[in-house]
Amino acid sequence: MATRIQENFPLQRLEVFSHPTQDDYERAKDKARQLLRSILPDSAWSELEEKAVIQLAGKRGTYVISPYSQTEIRDCAFRPLCCLCVPSAFHSAPTYDRMVAEYLLIRIPRTFTGKTANIFSRSGNEFGIATLFLIAFDIALFVNLLLEVLTVR
């Protein structure tokens, strides 16, 4: 019986340093795009296709999710107030995965409190000491994540 199961589900040897192929990346990107399409209302999907952004009204202002830049929070005159920075786990995520995560964080108000994401003001002093510490902290978290992934395999 055990050999029959192994024939149906052969064990694949995972390489410690195996990298996804371009085809794997493209499949993952397509699946993330399909997921984004399935959760967005038709009007938001049309806006994404036409303007390359998703705009959502939220309690802090209008959230503008872009595949090409950080999500911005804008005031009623549509001036940028600040940028949204989701936890570092999403920094390395493919574009559509990040957009899905940010959309859901914004749409589910109870999860989006400020403890979920960092909000950086759009003032003249973009790189204060607090920002530098946050960048260093994000880098440390990313290195820790890489070490965890490499030691698990």
Side-chain angles (χ1 to χ4, degrees):
M1 186 70 144
T3 57
R4 186 174 198 199
I5 292 172
Q6 285 181 342
E7 288 173 5
N8 291 336
F9 301 103
L11 294 175
Q12 294 179 351
R13 186 175 157 213
L14 294 175
E15 295 293 327
V16 175
F17 295 106
S18 66
H19 297 288
T21 65
Q22 186 65 28
D23 288 341
D24 294 335
Y25 176 78
E26 291 300 324
R27 271 194 300 277
K29 181 179 159 187
D30 289 341
K31 285 182 181 181
R33 190 172 194 275
Q34 290 170 6
L35 176 62
L36 182 61
R37 173 64 184 109
S38 72
I39 64 171
L40 286 179
D42 290 336
S43 60
W45 181 255
S46 297
E47 181 179 36
L48 177 62
E49 288 185 319
E50 291 172 19
K51 299 179 182 176
V53 295
I54 302 168
Q55 297 180 47
L56 298 168
K59 76 176 164 181
R60 288 189 171 97
T62 300
Y63 294 82
V64 181
I65 303 172
S66 169
Y68 309 112
S69 64
Q70 275 185 309
T71 295
E72 290 184 342
I73 303 174
R74 297 184 178 184
D75 64 10
C76 58
F78 214 64
R79 291 181 303 238
L81 295 174
C82 50
C83 285
L84 181 70
C85 181
V86 295
S88 62
F90 296 110
H91 287 270
S92 60
T95 299
Y96 293 112
D97 288 327
R98 177 188 57 81
M99 292 176 74
V100 166
E102 290 180 0
Y103 177 80
L104 293 175
L105 285 171
I106 294 165
R107 293 293 296 168
I108 305 171
R110 291 181 158 224
T111 63
F112 186 70
T113 61
K115 295 178 184 174
T116 307
N118 297 316
I119 298 175
F120 295 103
S121 175
R122 281 286 183 134
S123 66
N125 185 8
E126 294 278 336
F127 287 104
I129 190 74
T131 304
L132 293 176
F133 278 120
L134 285 172
I135 291 170
F137 183 67
D138 278 347
I139 291 170
L141 285 174
F142 180 72
V143 169
N144 186 36
L145 176 67
L146 280 178
L147 290 173
E148 288 290 326
V149 168
L150 291 176
T151 56
V152 169
R153 292 184 177 183

